[in-house]
Amino acid sequence: MGNCLGSNQGSKYAIENQDEKELEKLAQKGTKAKRRRAPEAKEITARPKKALAAKHQGDGNAASPPSAPAQQKPGTTAAADSQAATNSQKPSAPAPAPKPKLNIKDFQFKQCKGEVKVKAPGTINGQAFMIDECVDCDLYVLDSCAAVTIDDSKNCRIFIGPTDGSIFMRNCTNVKCCFIGRQIRLRDVTNSNVALLCRTKPIIETSTNVGVMCYDLLYPALPDQLKAIKLDTFHNFWDSIHDFTPKPDSWRYLEPELMVSEMMGPIPEEAQAAMGETKHGQAPLISTWGSRPPPGQGYIVAIFPQGKAEEALQLVAHATEQQ
């Protein structure tokens, strides 16, 4: 019995010792496993902390009372709404009216024969104009133009109103003309007379027997037309002819006493109606003597300061009335 008990006790102690060893082994394995899994566990545990922090922050926001809205200046919203309503009610700007289409036939006298053609003030409005192949005609352009060309015409009386650019006449014979322009040029013109109001020196080339004189015919719309394109009678170089092909019979001065109304002959009724009647007291145009020899020994010299053109014209008008 004692031996059995002793053997039983020994086996019991052996089992206990074996269990302790196995526990130690298991503990060691667990420690190693814990050591191997430590980084992963650290990462795993770090994530919930962030999540928990966000959760706590959200809980705090949820628990905190709602913040008061930002204060606005009194009347700001009402003023903005009023301005928006005003802008919505404001009518939109109307679209610009389309420019009227121009008909080229309204800006030319072409192949006319034995006719009276008149363009009244306000019908050209600064457009270019052309006269071509006209015979035995009275042609009056009484409005301002951009530029004018006159070609292959004969036995005509031609009046061209204030022209901002050039007036160019070519291949014409036996014509009587009045030209008012910034630049005037004649080429291949024969047996013709021209009255000139020109801001620059007129040009003549390959022409024969051309008579020139100072322009002096006034009509009511002329002063405003001259002013619109910055021309005036104080700057008229009608007599300073530049002849590109000089010869003895290229050009000549007409008689100093001759006036435009006499040189052009009777003005047709259609042209007179378009010109209108000159107002009483309206200053006449200044007619200069040019480079011709002086008519006599007596002179009156009147000097006006710059900007006194109106006063000078009034003096001319008064002197004209006294004649």
Side-chain angles (χ1 to χ4, degrees):
M1 176 71 74
N3 291 334
C4 292
L5 290 170
S7 61
N8 289 336
Q9 290 177 353
S11 61
K12 180 180 180 181
Y13 293 143
I15 292 170
E16 289 178 356
N17 290 335
Q18 186 178 359
D19 292 340
E20 289 178 359
K21 289 179 180 180
E22 290 179 356
L23 288 173
E24 288 179 359
K25 289 179 180 181
L26 291 173
Q28 289 177 358
K29 290 181 180 180
T31 303
K32 291 180 180 179
K34 287 180 180 179
R35 289 178 181 175
R36 287 197 299 269
R37 296 178 182 178
E40 183 179 358
K42 186 177 180 181
E43 183 178 358
I44 292 171
T45 55
R47 291 177 183 172
K49 286 183 179 179
K50 293 181 179 178
L52 287 173
K55 181 179 180 182
H56 288 306
Q57 187 178 0
D59 294 341
N61 291 339
S64 61
S67 59
Q71 294 183 355
Q72 295 181 352
K73 294 182 180 180
T76 303
T77 305
D81 295 341
S82 177
Q83 182 65 27
T86 303
N87 293 337
S88 63
Q89 294 176 1
K90 186 182 294 184
S92 58
K99 294 183 179 180
K101 293 183 179 180
L102 302 178
N103 187 350
I104 191 173
K105 293 182 179 180
D106 294 333
F107 304 96
Q108 63 182 19
F109 294 147
K110 189 172 182 179
Q111 296 177 344
C112 301
K113 293 184 178 181
E115 300 180 63
V116 176
K117 295 283 188 178
V118 179
K119 290 293 182 179
T123 57
I124 305 300
N125 294 322
Q127 299 294 326
F129 201 86
M130 179 183 71
I131 297 175
D132 189 25
E133 297 181 353
C134 294
V135 180
D136 299 323
C137 293
D138 288 288
L139 310 174
Y140 283 75
V141 180
L142 300 171
D143 199 12
S144 57
C145 305
V148 179
T149 57
I150 306 167
D151 294 297
D152 303 314
S153 298
K154 62 181 181 179
N155 303 329
C156 293
R157 295 183 293 175
I158 303 173
F159 185 102
I160 304 297
T163 302
D164 195 23
S166 65
I167 301 173
F168 197 0
M169 183 166 67
R170 299 168 292 197
N171 302 316
C172 295
T173 302
N174 194 28
V175 293
K176 298 178 180 180
C177 305
C178 292
F179 293 155
I180 305 171
R182 195 172 302 278
Q183 183 185 47
I184 297 172
R185 186 170 182 175
L186 281 64
R187 189 183 73 190
D188 297 322
V189 177
T190 58
N191 301 325
S192 301
N193 294 334
V194 291
L196 304 176
L197 196 168
C198 188
R199 185 63 180 81
T200 58
K201 294 181 178 181
I203 295 173
I204 293 179
E205 55 182 318
T206 59
S207 298
T208 302
N209 193 27
V210 176
V212 297
M213 63 177 291
C214 182
Y215 176 83
D216 62 3
L217 182 64
L218 179 67
Y219 58 92
L222 181 60
D224 290 337
Q225 292 174 349
L226 291 172
K227 188 176 181 180
I229 61 173
K230 298 181 180 180
L231 293 180
D232 62 69
T233 56
F234 290 98
H235 299 88
N236 185 4
F237 296 88
W238 69 272
D239 63 312
S240 302
I241 305 295
H242 184 82
D243 191 351
F244 274 107
T245 55
K247 55 183 181 179
D249 59 347
S250 292
W251 64 277
R252 70 189 193 284
Y253 290 122
L254 295 176
E255 296 78 7
E257 296 82 8
L258 187 65
M259 301 181 68
V260 168
S261 57
E262 298 170 350
M263 186 269 289
M264 291 287 286
I267 299 176
E269 294 182 359
E270 297 90 334
Q272 289 182 0
M275 285 181 171
E277 295 183 2
T278 304
K279 297 179 182 179
H280 178 72
Q282 188 173 10
L285 298 179
I286 294 177
S287 179
T288 58
W289 194 262
S291 302
R292 295 173 293 197
Q297 300 297 323
Y299 299 93
I300 297 176
V301 178
I303 300 176
F304 290 85
Q306 187 175 3
K308 297 294 182 180
E310 294 296 330
E311 288 79 355
L313 290 174
Q314 292 300 327
L315 177 62
V316 173
H318 180 71
T320 303
E321 292 175 357
Q322 298 299 318
Q323 292 180 354

